[in-house]
């Protein structure tokens, strides 16, 4: 074992306990009580695993824990408390001492303060080498070519400190200083001591002069900034206390031959979700179990990685969301206090509105009341106004290409598809991207709005929605495929060129979407730009005549307007290229032309790709400026999507993975936003709304799975108000159908000898 932290020691103890004949040695270059932190937080789930695997260790730890269930959020002098969370913590040195004692009792060799042989040397003489040597793992670095590590440095600086008293709760306190926002994370780990982590954006750290201070001066300065939280008491630094920037560690492989990574050497997750020691201990449990269960070491290491990688990936996604939230903290401090506290509590997406209601109904009800929810009304069923259009709820059926039109004409399929989703209760139903010209289609099956027959076809659909589902709004998304056009239907080969019948493509620059496969588009010249702008305006006039309530301009996903916005697809040297101002010029000209002919009382939105998920592409900062520009020109809301601009993108998929970009635009600019991207539950919708991260939530796949998703969400929450009315013919189905009993009656009597009574 290389590394004597909690994960390494626990793995050593488990492996020795499972087979006392094994020779297990722990190599640790530091002293037994050296540690980078002060307290460790473990979940009930992790403790349960420890109790099951090694009751001796659990009993030794159980008496040491400090337990509490409250979180205090201090915002501009006001403390908001949420109960019911359940934490257990103890001193890190005490944890190490318990594990070291258990190792010694079992016969594990513990070697401290010695030079650790390299993993390669140890691998030559041992059956198994476990590298648990932390986030700065030398082992991982030495085998980087095989293990494939990626280390991502983040934007805040932080320092681990301690206070000589116990906080009453997990405490988050925000300090708005002359240099910027600073935050304190604090929690008790013994009856008379607490861990205190002070964190801030790096530019704030520099502005405050921490880069020029000795550790003692830094500690004293932190104590002064947070003197109210500390009751005027000092902070203490440990031997390893130093300002650092967090690094997320990800490895393509966790093992090589008889070498395997464990804990922070394999993966890290930001301390704001308290996961490092938890993950390492759980790794140790899984590794020991797999070695016991599998017939060979290669199978055991493969099983260990297969079991742990999905769990770790989920935790890292949650940690990344939490980390980014604190990086963007300055954008939230102007929120109302309860909304700010709710936002903080739900930042990782692991705690949701529904989960928090179970933990602390009183707190959650107060947040709902501040949001404007009438009694008994979930947040998603509150109205939202854009210009003269009031949406009865916050659910949007996201635009989804159906590839089912003939010559651009919407037919019976579109009537049934969109009509069913309008009857399903959503506040706004959006069409797929409707193309402004035949050459602007993605595929031959794409719908259009370039002739009177198409206008009449769409009017048939809007009339149905307005007549049969009064109160439901229907919007049209206008766009042009650009370099991504003239391809096969999605299910025949996504992004693959047509085998015949191709039409010429145009784009900002002559760059094919799939090099060597896709058609090379022609770069648009000035006259063609004017023609295209007029095609958009003409389509907007037809959309108004067709009766649409809202118009969205599609400037995302690598289509024509998106191709102008991204530096990866716009290589022009004229006024329509270069810096972001130049790249915005044509999309804004199109927006202005459409806004001029679109009825003034009807709202207009813009969908953007807030990041290209590729080096050198659109950044989150660019997205804010793009949204600022469209809003200044009259956009009523920004529909914030991401990616699909270049084929070699690397999205960070996960639940609600695109919402941080919408959140940032909303809380930087104060403009309404529509969030999209793996929002799959009504609990997610309620959580995002209450936290003030979004105004509307657009869902695609859930509405393919269930056209009545919104009505079912209302029924599942016990809501029967006017924001989700069941169509009269469907009212008999507004309650969950009964099912047969699956539970057996429990025994009531046990017959024995006759009673003497």
């Amino acid at each position: 074992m290389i590394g004597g932290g909690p994960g390494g020691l626990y793995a050593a103890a488990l492996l020795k306990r499972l087979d006392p004949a094994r020779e297990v040695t722990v190599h640790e270059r530091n002293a037994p009580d050296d540690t980078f932190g002060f307290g460790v937080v473990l979940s009930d789930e992790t403790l349960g695993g420890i109790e099951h695997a090694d009751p001796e260790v659990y009993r030794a730890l159980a008496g040491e824990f400090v337990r509490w269930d409250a979180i205090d959020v201090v915002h501009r002098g006001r403390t908001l408390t949420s109960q019911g969370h359940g934490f257990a913590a103890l001193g890190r040195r005490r944890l190490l001492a318990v594990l070291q004692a258990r190792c010694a009792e079992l016969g594990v060799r513990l070697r401290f303060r010695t030079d650790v042989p390299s993993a390669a040397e140890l691998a030559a003489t041992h059956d198994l080498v476990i590298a648990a040597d932390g986030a700065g793992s030398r082992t991982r670095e030495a085998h980087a070519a095989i293990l494939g590590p990626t280390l991502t440095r983040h934007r805040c600086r932080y320092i681990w400190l301690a206070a000589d008293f116990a906080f009453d709760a997990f405490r988050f306190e925000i300090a708005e200083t002359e240099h910027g926002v600073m935050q304190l994370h604090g929690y008790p780990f013994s009856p008379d001591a607490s861990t205190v982590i002070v964190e801030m954006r790096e530019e704030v750290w520099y502005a405050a002069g921490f880069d020029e201070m000795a550790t003692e001066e830094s500690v004293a300065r932190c104590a002064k900034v947070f003197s109210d939280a500390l009751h005027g008491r000092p902070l203490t630094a440990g031997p390893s206390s130093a300002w650092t920037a967090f690094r997320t560690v990800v490895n393509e492989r966790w093992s090589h031959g008889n070498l395997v990574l464990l804990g922070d050497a394999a993966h890290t997750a930001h301390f704001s979700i308290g996961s490092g020691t938890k993950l390492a201990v759980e790794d140790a449990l899984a590794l020991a179990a797999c070695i016991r269960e599998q017939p060979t070491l290669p199978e055991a290491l493969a099983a260990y990685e297969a079991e742990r990688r999905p769990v770790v990936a989920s935790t890292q996604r949650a940690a990344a969301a939490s980390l980014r939230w604190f990086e963007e903290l300055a954008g939230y401090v102007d929120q109302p206090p309860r909304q700010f506290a709710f936002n903080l509590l739900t930042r990782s997406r692991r705690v949701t509105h529904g989960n928090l209601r179970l933990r602390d109904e009183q707190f959650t009800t107060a947040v709902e009341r501040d949001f404007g929810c009438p009694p008994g009304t979930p947040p998603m069923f509150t109205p939202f106004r854009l210009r003269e259009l009031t949406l009865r709820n916050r659910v949007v059926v996201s635009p989804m290409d159906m590839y089912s039109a003939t010559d651009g004409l919407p037919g019976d399929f579109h009537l049934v598809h969109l009509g069913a989703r309008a009857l399903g209760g959503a506040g706004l139903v959006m069409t797929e991207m409707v193309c402004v010209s035949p050459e602007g289609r993605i595929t031959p099956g794409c719908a259009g709005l370039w002739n009177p027959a198409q206008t009449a076809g769409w009017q048939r659909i809007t009339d149905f929605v307005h007549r049969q589902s009064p109160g439901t709004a229907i919007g049209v998304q206008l766009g042009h495929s650009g370099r991504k056009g003239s391809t096969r239907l999605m299910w025949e080969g996504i992004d693959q060129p047509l085998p015949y019948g191709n039409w010429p493509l145009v784009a900002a620059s002559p760059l094919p979407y799939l090099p060597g496969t896709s058609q090379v588009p022609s770069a648009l010249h000035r006259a063609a730009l004017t023609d295209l702008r007029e095609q958009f305006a003409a389509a907007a006039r037809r959309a108004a005549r067709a009766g649409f309530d809202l118009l969205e301009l599609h400037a995302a996903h690598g289509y024509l307007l998106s191709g102008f916005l991204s530096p990866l697809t716009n290589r022009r040297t004229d006024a329509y290229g270069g810096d972001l101002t130049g790249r915005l010029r044509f999309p804004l000209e199109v927006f202005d032309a459409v806004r001029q002919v679109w009825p003034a009382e009807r709202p207009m939105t813009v969908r953007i790709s807030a990041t290209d998920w590729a080096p050198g592409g659109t950044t989150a900062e660019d997205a804010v400026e793009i949204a600022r520009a469209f809003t200044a020109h009259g956009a009523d809301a920004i529909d914030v999507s991401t990616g699909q601009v270049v084929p070699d993108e690397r999205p960070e998929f996960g639940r609600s993975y695109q919402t941080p970009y919408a959140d940032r635009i909303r809380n930087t600019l104060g403009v309404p936003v529509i969030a999209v991207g793996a929002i799959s539950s009504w609990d997610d919708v309620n959580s995002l709304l209450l936290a003030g991260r979004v105004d509307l939530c657009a869902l695609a796949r859930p509405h393919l799975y269930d056209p009545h998703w919104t009505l079912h969400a209302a029924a599942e929450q016990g809501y029967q108000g006017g924001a989700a009315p069941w169509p009269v013919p469907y009212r008999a189905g507004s309650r969950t159908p009964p099912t047969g009993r699956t539970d057996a009656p429990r025994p009531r009597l046990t017959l024995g000898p006759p009673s003497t009574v």
Side-chain angles (χ1 to χ4, degrees), residues 688-701:
L688 293 166
L689 292 168
L690 273 188
R693 298 176 197 162
V694 306
D695 298 285
L696 298 166
C697 288
L699 298 92
R701 288 178 178 85

Side-chain angles (χ1 to χ4, degrees), residues 28 30 62 70 101 158 190 218 274 288-289 332 355 392 409 445 464 474 493 517 521 570 590 620 665 667 746-747:
E28 172 56 61
N30 295 314
Y158 67 95
S190 76
S218 280
Y332 301 123
N355 181 269
R392 66 186 178 198
L409 182 67
F464 175 89
I474 182 166
T517 300
N570 185 340
V590 171
I665 289 170
N667 285 291
R746 64 189 183 92

Side-chain angles (χ1 to χ4, degrees), residues 254-452:
W254 291 4
S255 65
H256 168 57
N258 61 343
L259 166 67
V260 65
L261 303 179
L262 183 146
D264 283 352
H267 45 70
T268 60
H270 193 248
F271 57 81
S272 60
I273 65 168
S275 58
T277 301
K278 173 184 183 296
L279 287 176
V281 169
E282 291 174 352
D283 280 357
L285 284 164
L287 179 59
C290 289
I291 289 173
R292 184 183 192 184
E293 294 163 357
Q294 300 299 322
T296 67
L297 182 64
E299 290 172 290
L301 299 187
Y304 158 69
E305 184 169 345
E307 176 182 334
R308 291 296 297 157
R309 187 177 282 278
V311 177
V312 167
S314 176
T315 302
Q316 287 189 312
R317 286 193 295 270
S322 179
L323 177 155
R324 282 193 293 263
W325 194 91
F326 283 108
E327 286 184 339
E328 303 299 328
L329 179 60
Y332 301 123
V333 292
D334 290 330
Q335 288 186 321
R338 280 200 190 92
Q339 185 178 64
F340 177 86
F342 181 91
N343 196 355
L344 186 152
L345 293 170
T346 59
R347 67 194 182 278
S348 73
R349 308 182 200 125
R350 288 200 159 180
V351 175
T352 63
H353 168 257
N355 181 269
L356 196 56
R357 173 168 282 283
L358 289 174
R359 299 179 187 215
D360 192 337
E361 183 176 3
Q362 184 176 0
F363 173 81
T364 308
T365 299
V367 176
E368 292 170 349
R369 187 171 57 246
D370 289 354
F371 183 77
C373 299
T377 302
M380 66 187 291
F381 295 116
T382 56
F384 190 72
R385 186 181 178 90
L386 292 169
R387 295 206 181 209
E388 298 303 312
L389 176 66
T390 298
L391 302 176
R392 66 186 178 198
N393 62 54
R394 307 299 186 98
V395 179
V396 179
V397 176
S398 193
M400 295 175 279
D401 286 317
M402 293 290 107
Y403 308 109
S404 299
T406 301
D407 295 328
L409 182 67
D412 289 347
F413 176 89
H414 295 83
L415 175 66
V416 174
H417 167 67
L418 294 170
R421 279 137 192 91
L423 292 171
L428 172 64
V429 176
M430 292 297 300
T431 70
E432 61 198 88
M433 184 175 87
V434 175
C435 305
V436 298
S437 70
E439 299 77 21
R441 292 174 296 166
I442 308 167
T443 76
C446 289
L449 250 178
W450 63 79
N451 64 39

